[in-house]
Amino acid sequence: MPSRSQSISIGELARRTDCKPETVRYYERIGILRDALRTEGGQRRYGEDAVRRLTFIRHARDFGFSVDAVRELLAMSDQPDMPCQEVDAIAKHHLEKVESRLQRLSVLRDELQRMVTQCAGGKIESCRIIEVISDHQHCISETAHGGAQDLG
Amino acid sequence: MPSRSQSISIGELARRTDCKPETVRYYERIGILRDALRTEGGQRRYGEDAVRRLTFIRHARDFGFSVDAVRELLAMSDQPDMPCQEVDAIAKHHLEKVESRLQRLSVLRDELQRMVTQCAGGKIESCRIIEVISDHQHCISETAHGGAQDLG
DNA sequence: ACTTGAAGCTGTAGCTGCTACAAGTTTTAC
DNA sequence: GTAAAACTTGTAGCAGCTACAGCTTCAAGT
């Protein structure tokens, strides 16, 4: 059983784990945070265990693990006696994805760098950037770059 | 005026630009592809100009430009007499985003690499990976890694 | 000319991972 | 006791497509 004192409000939990109350409710809805205890008036109250669990979730998300991966990691961390091969596999798989993304992004960077430096600053008609986008022939790599979504 | 022969079907257009008919319709709906001519029966028919425009769009997307950026780039490429400063600005801005993303991803890779290599392969209880995710103290960088979404 | 099957049409819902309302209720502090 | 802050649920929105369902049209073969 978790700690006796279930006195943390959703707002405080959010503050302590650097996220928003909406996100906490979202995690509850999709089932990676357990349903919270409620006050008589129906508000959620949490204990320290929830802080730990949510910290884990947020941290794993920071590492770029998908919510599904986080779900698996959580399930595993709830089974401390099991061997950690699967944890290892998930992490390695993720690492591979990060590495391949890194590869593609750096090709992209080179391509962009090249096209920016080659722009002579004249008319659009003769702009190197527009030219390169118009015609893949101008690219270094023959294959698609694979996009670069979510660069926020 | 574009070419006289508007005889390319949406499927063929999609094939020639390496995307799907749904995507073409989507681009039309959001207004970056002009409304196509229609057969009597209501099917879309395109000319070579549409192939060029869609190629531009897809290629710009491959470079990671957002749809909004693509919209601006298209508007500019339609004005060949204008100076290309703005094109340049968009590309540079994008390059910066790619570079900062690269930075963060490589920090992430190092972190992941470290945690994978340190995993001794025992029980979850003592698994380095779970440990690191649980406690940010174990990380090299003090700040958040910023996520690594969409690594597909 | 007729049939068949592929390809097209519209409209809507789904994906990820939240975020942002609106309209009402509860808690907290004074 | 009251006012403000924080909470509640439910729903819709973001990007950039993708995937249906249920129907229509087109192109090719006979």
Side-chain angles (χ1 to χ4, degrees):
Chain A
M1 283 291 115
S3 100
R4 250 131 231 45
S5 64
Q6 302 279 133
S7 52
I8 304 170
S9 72
I10 194 169
E12 198 187 332
L13 175 63
R15 233 171 294 119
R16 284 174 58 176
T17 53
D18 194 35
C19 65
K20 307 192 176 177
E22 285 93 339
T23 309
V24 178
R25 284 190 281 261
Y26 171 71
Y27 288 157
E28 181 184 301
R29 210 165 60 241
I30 64 169
I32 60 176
L33 266 185
R34 299 176 190 109
D35 288 9
L37 294 181
R38 302 290 185 128
T39 62
E40 291 208 352
Q43 299 197 355
R44 290 168 179 82
R45 287 297 180 268
Y46 300 91
E48 293 298 329
D49 55 325
V51 179
R52 275 192 300 278
R53 193 173 176 92
L54 186 47
T55 300
F56 184 97
I57 293 170
R58 294 258 79 196
H59 207 183
R61 295 283 305 121
D62 266 357
F63 273 114
F65 289 102
S66 71
V67 166
D68 266 0
V70 174
R71 205 187 295 272
E72 293 185 61
L73 289 171
L74 279 169
M76 289 170 204
S77 77
D78 286 342
Q79 307 260 325
D81 285 342
M82 300 292 281
C84 71
Q85 300 163 357
E86 272 187 75
V87 173
D88 211 42
I90 291 173
K92 274 180 180 150
H93 178 71
H94 185 50
L95 175 56
E96 277 164 30
K97 289 211 156 195
V98 170
E99 275 170 345
S100 93
R101 185 100 185 97
L102 218 36
Q103 278 275 333
R104 277 179 298 148
L105 263 188
S106 84
V107 170
L108 192 57
R109 181 202 45 205
D110 294 348
E111 215 84 83
L112 281 168
Q113 224 152 34
R114 219 167 56 104
M115 87 189 189
V116 164
T117 50
Q118 285 183 359
C119 172
K123 285 184 184 176
I124 283 176
E125 204 171 21
S126 58
C127 177
R128 185 71 188 169
I129 295 165
I130 294 286
E131 229 173 277
V132 174
I133 298 175
S134 297
D135 189 355
H136 203 148
Q137 295 287 90
H138 293 294
C139 289
I140 300 169
S141 77
E142 335 68 52
T143 61
H145 322 97
Q149 309 91 329
D150 283 329
L151 299 166
Chain B
M1 282 290 116
S3 100
R4 248 134 231 46
S5 65
Q6 302 277 133
S7 52
I8 302 169
S9 72
I10 195 170
E12 197 187 331
L13 176 63
R15 235 171 293 119
R16 285 175 56 175
T17 54
D18 195 34
C19 67
K20 307 192 176 179
E22 284 93 338
T23 310
V24 178
R25 283 189 283 259
Y26 171 70
Y27 287 157
E28 182 185 301
R29 209 165 62 239
I30 64 170
I32 60 177
L33 267 186
R34 298 176 191 110
D35 288 10
L37 294 181
R38 301 290 185 126
T39 61
E40 291 208 353
Q43 299 195 355
R44 290 169 178 81
R45 287 297 179 266
Y46 299 91
E48 292 298 329
D49 55 324
V51 178
R52 276 193 300 279
R53 194 176 175 90
L54 186 47
T55 300
F56 184 98
I57 294 170
R58 293 260 77 195
H59 206 184
R61 295 283 306 121
D62 265 357
F63 273 114
F65 289 102
S66 71
V67 166
D68 267 1
V70 174
R71 207 187 293 272
E72 294 184 61
L73 290 171
L74 278 169
M76 290 171 202
S77 76
D78 286 341
Q79 308 258 327
D81 285 342
M82 300 291 282
C84 72
Q85 300 163 358
E86 272 188 74
V87 173
D88 210 43
I90 291 173
K92 274 181 181 150
H93 178 70
H94 185 51
L95 175 57
E96 278 165 30
K97 289 212 157 192
V98 170
E99 275 169 346
S100 92
R101 186 96 184 100
L102 265 172
Q103 279 274 334
R104 276 180 297 146
L105 263 189
S106 84
V107 171
L108 191 57
R109 182 204 43 206
D110 294 347
E111 215 83 85
L112 282 168
Q113 223 151 35
R114 219 167 56 104
M115 88 190 190
V116 164
T117 51
Q118 286 184 0
C119 172
K123 284 185 186 176
I124 283 176
E125 203 172 23
S126 59
C127 176
R128 186 69 186 172
I129 295 165
I130 295 286
E131 228 173 277
V132 174
I133 299 175
S134 298
D135 189 354
H136 203 146
Q137 296 286 91
H138 293 293
C139 289
I140 301 168
S141 76
E142 335 69 53
T143 60
H145 323 98
Q149 309 91 332
D150 282 329
L151 299 166

